[in-house]
Amino acid sequence: MNAAVPEPAALAFAGPTPFRLLVRIAAISSWRRLLALREQSWFLLAVIATFLVGYLALAFTLFYAGLRFISKFPGLGGLLVERLLFVLFAFLFGLLLISNLVISYTNLFKNRETTFLLSLPVPTQTIFQWKFVESTLLASWAFVFLIAPLLCAYGLVNHVAWHFYPLVLVLLALFIVLPGVCGAWASVTLARFLDRKAFQIVLVTGLAAFIGLMLFQFRPQPVTDEDLDARVLAVIDRLLENTRFANFPFLPSYWMSASVQNWSEGALGAASFFALVMLSHALFFGQLVCQRLGDAFYEAANRVNSRGSIFARWSWFRAQSARKTGRPGGELGLPRSDWLDRLLGLGGVLAPDTRALVAKDMRMFWRDTTQWAQTAMLFGLLGVYIINLRHFTRQLDSPFWLSLVSFLNMGACALNLATLTTRFVFPQFSLEGRRVWLVGLAPIGLVRVVWLKFWLASVATLAVTLGLVLLSCTMLGLDAAHTVFFGGAVTVMTFTLNAIAVGLGALYPNFKETNPNKIVSGFGGTFCLVLSFVYILSAVVLLAVSSPWGWKPDMTGEFAPAKAVSTWVIFVLLSYLAGWLPLRLGLRKVATTEL
């Protein structure tokens, strides 16, 4: 009998397995970064710890008060809490699917570490397994951080036993596996077939059909006065008609919600059954993906790295490329001027150097699919919410509740904008990279570069944010005074948030890193996010409490000009200080930087 000859990869990793070695290296690197962070800045640790503890305490307090308020409704409290729990996990499962898809695609095919690992004598199956675990953890940690205060408040309101909380941790660990599996499989499939015309047609058609089906299925059904005179349970059942999808028994969110609910009510047998269903699916599909998707991942990585564009098989794309690079007869010609350059050059408003820098930043943003895709997704979800406000406000006759919804809507738009400015605007100066000295030695100068980044980001975000706020005012049926008030407030907050992001980005640059996610994860990005959230909370509370229409339900809602002037003076002064100070410090550091 001939002895089997060991493969080179097996010889290279005779001790620990390659997967364990990758996990160990990642754990050691994370621990060393944590130690380095502690040695570099205690202020950063204090800011992060304060923010985390403050969020957990505030979220727990709000969830606990809300669940207690709902549970006090006689005969309906339990029904409403149950339905809210099912709907919450259903939507979170959908968001986890999208998050895992985006992060898995980036981590598998747009990551320098993955490219480096593929060149080593490491099995591709092992590389995929490690990247699958890493992507799932990156996409799911925020979900666990978000849902933990809610589940703690839910257990406290229902007076559950101590063993409820360890079970919830196990259920959350099982729940995040299934979206990770679906996201990894979908990312590999997209990478393999996204350049095919038939796949693109089927994908676009399927998305359009899905959106149309959702719009038809979840169309609002307003309740008339005649319906309100009927039985309460019938009205509630009609109002919750569009939430029945969350009770579909084959959804993983249903298994999660049913297990949590049954365990809190003492039905341990039913809770264990749904937990075992989720465990069996997580083990089966997790094992299937980890053992069978390695070869498909390697093929997909080769296709991604070898193709130029996903539209290369379309004749119109080839014709456009030919017009830019040559002539139909094969003779080379001068490339045509780009449409972006012609658009920025209209009217001669922008100088040539300014136009070149603005065009460069816009092209860099557009070429990074993850950036504009996440931006479009966030503002798209916010736009869908705002469009549906008109159906929600049909039942609100009190001016107080309309004003409350308006302020909450403005806060939601501002928080969304703060997320975008921290994620995309803050790393813009750092993304100049090691070649920043070229820009610094140019006649335009680094100070003017920072100013241009501020104005470009402010104008771009203001066009979207102001449009959404004005749309929300229209959906709520607010008068001209309210519309001008909220529109002006969002305009001021947009410039302030961009000033915070640009100023702190110039104050805490990281020219060694090319990944925007890692740039934001540093001290400057964390401080920018915390400072933006504190400013938004202070501004919204100030505008709400000092509203010229009053904030108490018993007030008449008449407009007070003197109160409006004093409110705006304080608000503009607060916004100016919050935005001017970081921007000024950032410009001063840029001006004194030695290249």
Side-chain angles (χ1 to χ4, degrees), residues 220 385 388-396 401-402 405 476:
Y385 150 74
N388 286 275
L389 279 178
R390 66 182 187 274
H391 307 294
F392 172 73
T393 54
R394 288 180 180 178
Q395 313 302 326
L396 297 180
W401 288 106
L402 286 175
V405 172
L476 292 171

Side-chain angles (χ1 to χ4, degrees), residues 10 109 195 225-226 252 267 272 274 290 335 341 360 364 396 407 462 465 470 480 496 547 592:
F109 308 109
D195 59 334
D225 295 336
E226 291 78 7
S272 301
F274 287 109
C290 290
D341 296 329
K360 186 265 296 182
M364 293 295 294
L396 297 180
F407 279 106
L462 179 63
T465 307
L470 295 179
T496 303
S547 173
T592 57

Side-chain angles (χ1 to χ4, degrees), residues 319 321-336:
S321 300
R323 286 196 301 268
K324 289 183 178 181
T325 58
R327 295 175 180 174
E331 181 183 356
L332 293 179
L334 295 176
R336 293 191 175 185

Side-chain angles (χ1 to χ4, degrees), residues 214-250:
M214 292 298 101
L215 292 176
F216 176 78
Q217 179 67 26
F218 297 118
R219 64 189 187 280
Q221 298 180 1
V223 180
T224 61
D225 295 336
E226 291 78 7
D227 295 332
L228 293 176
D229 295 334
R231 296 176 55 189
V232 177
L233 289 178
V235 176
I236 293 296
D237 185 67
R238 181 177 176 183
L239 292 176
L240 299 179
E241 180 71 24
N242 289 335
T243 64
R244 289 186 175 181
F245 73 95
N247 291 338
F248 187 63
F250 290 99

